[in-house]
Amino acid sequence: MSDNDYTYAVARIRSLELSLFSASTLEQLIGCADYESAVTFLLEHGWGDPQGETDADAILRREREKTWETIQEMVKDMTPFDVLSYQNLFHNLKAAIKGVCTEHADPGLFYEGCSISPEEMVRIVKEKDFASLPEFMRQAAKEAYETLLHGRDGQLCDVILDRAALEAIAGAGEKSKVQIIKDYARSLIVVSDIRIAVRCCRTGKPLEFMTRAMAECEELNIQKLMQAALQGEGAIRDYLTQNGMGEAAEALAQSSSAFECWCDNQLMETIRPQKYNPFSVGPLIAYILARENEIKSVRIILTGKQNHFPENAIRERMREMYV
């Protein structure tokens, strides 16, 4: 589609953006007395389906489905949106491999709405028909399957597929002519590598593990980042500060919650300029990512309510919103 072909879709997206939860709306949700009243709040705001299930997972799953249904109604060619499903697609591959190797594939572990259905993914793994996967998944799928089947190393299986997902996203970003996809890919890889470094530092993972887990990117020298992770969190904070990521260093020093918020907020900063883009596919991609961020924030609040966290503890985990 040309930019002009997106004019109607962007106009509709602008109206839908008005219904996205703002920070003040999330504050009202946090202020609900308990989990049940928080769920009622969501239903009153049109979340879920009037005659549908009322448990949190069903409501959030339905909201994600609504997002994609809306995009599919407006756009004939869904190719520009493929990259947004890569992480879910690799997650489903991971679930299928673990299900087949343990002879217990749990349907609840799969994401719907991917280009390969959960049933087909399980079939591919069972029959070792990896050639039926997209080319960017084949080698990683085979390697992860053999690793889990023969070595019973579930963690290494995860690392192989997680890195392959990042590399697929990076590759899509490099090839795309759409600026927001390029920006999305770069932002995601940077944040993912920093997260890996922090988690490896905290769990004492060796250099070899980090080398297998991290994806190359121009914005980071991952060799120096890995060396910093081996030295401790202080060294990671120094590396981030020296590379213009002082806010990340401050968040890491503050708390794990603050650091995770910083990571997710980077994506919102990446897509926010699309609010002023009137014609291209950019605003549609930004809307999908904004909805994912919104759903994630609501899930955090509901989880906090279920576990009787105080409001301040929930509030510090809140992400920046698109609106």
Side-chain angles (χ1 to χ4, degrees):
M1 293 178 71
S2 66
D3 285 353
N4 289 336
D5 292 331
Y6 289 108
T7 304
Y8 165 75
V10 171
R12 186 173 173 193
I13 285 297
R14 292 294 180 237
S15 66
L16 291 172
E17 286 175 354
L18 299 176
S19 64
L20 288 170
F21 281 2
S22 64
S24 61
T25 308
L26 287 184
E27 186 61 34
Q28 293 176 50
L29 186 59
I30 293 172
C32 290
D34 50 33
Y35 171 79
E36 288 74 19
S37 59
V39 170
T40 299
F41 179 94
L42 293 175
L43 295 173
E44 290 175 346
H45 280 73
W47 281 50
D49 281 329
Q51 307 303 321
E53 299 176 71
T54 57
D55 68 279
D57 286 339
I59 291 172
L60 300 184
R61 183 170 58 250
R62 182 63 191 127
E63 287 305 300
R64 184 171 285 111
E65 291 170 354
K66 287 180 186 177
T67 301
W68 285 103
E69 288 168 3
T70 298
I71 298 297
Q72 288 166 352
E73 288 172 4
M74 297 185 293
V75 178
K76 293 180 180 179
D77 179 14
M78 293 294 291
T79 304
F81 306 94
D82 286 348
V83 66
L84 302 183
S85 68
Y86 282 4
Q87 286 186 303
N88 288 352
L89 193 59
F90 273 93
H91 169 90
N92 284 359
L93 174 59
K94 189 186 303 183
I97 289 174
K98 291 183 177 181
V100 170
C101 289
T102 61
E103 300 182 351
H104 179 66
D106 182 354
L109 296 178
F110 292 85
Y111 287 111
E112 297 290 344
C114 292
S115 57
I116 300 174
S117 70
E119 296 78 15
E120 175 65 2
M121 189 70 83
V122 171
R123 183 202 68 77
I124 287 171
V125 175
K126 274 186 177 179
E127 299 177 10
K128 293 187 278 190
D129 181 21
F130 300 123
S132 292
L133 293 170
E135 186 175 355
F136 59 78
M137 299 183 76
R138 294 171 190 169
Q139 183 57 40
K142 182 179 179 180
E143 185 181 356
Y145 174 77
E146 296 294 336
T147 295
L148 189 59
L149 183 65
H150 300 299
R152 296 295 172 183
D153 192 334
Q155 188 175 59
L156 181 55
C157 172
D158 289 348
V159 166
I160 292 168
L161 295 178
D162 289 344
R163 174 169 175 167
L166 292 178
E167 290 177 339
I169 292 169
E174 291 174 2
K175 295 175 184 176
S176 179
K177 297 179 180 179
V178 180
Q179 189 60 45
I180 189 175
I181 294 179
K182 293 179 178 293
D183 294 342
Y184 162 75
R186 283 196 292 263
S187 178
L188 185 64
I189 305 306
V190 168
V191 167
S192 296
D193 279 345
I194 295 172
R195 271 185 166 135
I196 291 168
V198 171
R199 291 170 184 172
C200 287
C201 174
R202 291 175 175 174
T203 54
K205 296 297 183 186
L207 180 62
E208 181 183 3
F209 184 93
M210 286 187 275
T211 301
R212 297 208 65 164
M214 288 188 192
E216 293 284 349
C217 67
E218 294 181 3
E219 289 74 17
L220 292 174
N221 183 324
I222 62 171
Q223 298 300 324
K224 290 184 178 180
L225 180 58
M226 287 188 284
Q227 290 298 327
L230 292 174
Q231 296 172 45
E233 280 193 34
I236 294 177
R237 293 197 300 271
D238 289 342
Y239 172 84
L240 294 173
T241 300
Q242 292 164 9
N243 285 272
M245 300 181 190
E247 290 185 2
E250 292 175 9
L252 184 57
Q254 183 179 341
S255 68
S256 295
S257 296
F259 172 67
E260 289 298 323
C261 283
W262 177 86
C263 290
D264 288 343
N265 289 344
Q266 297 316 293
L267 189 54
M268 286 299 99
E269 292 301 317
T270 298
I271 69 173
R272 192 163 279 120
Q274 296 303 317
K275 293 170 71 173
Y276 312 104
N277 184 345
F279 299 120
S280 76
V281 70
L284 280 68
I285 293 173
Y287 176 75
I288 295 170
L289 295 173
R291 280 287 277 157
E292 288 294 326
N293 183 63
E294 178 185 45
I295 291 168
K296 183 173 185 176
S297 297
V298 169
R299 184 182 294 280
I300 290 170
I301 295 173
L302 293 179
T303 300
K305 293 294 180 182
Q306 279 182 310
N307 292 281
H308 307 291
F309 290 173
E311 289 185 10
N312 285 341
I314 299 174
R315 196 170 286 115
E316 72 175 6
R317 290 168 167 79
M318 284 298 93
R319 276 61 175 157
E320 290 182 8
M321 306 308 291
Y322 187 57
V323 295

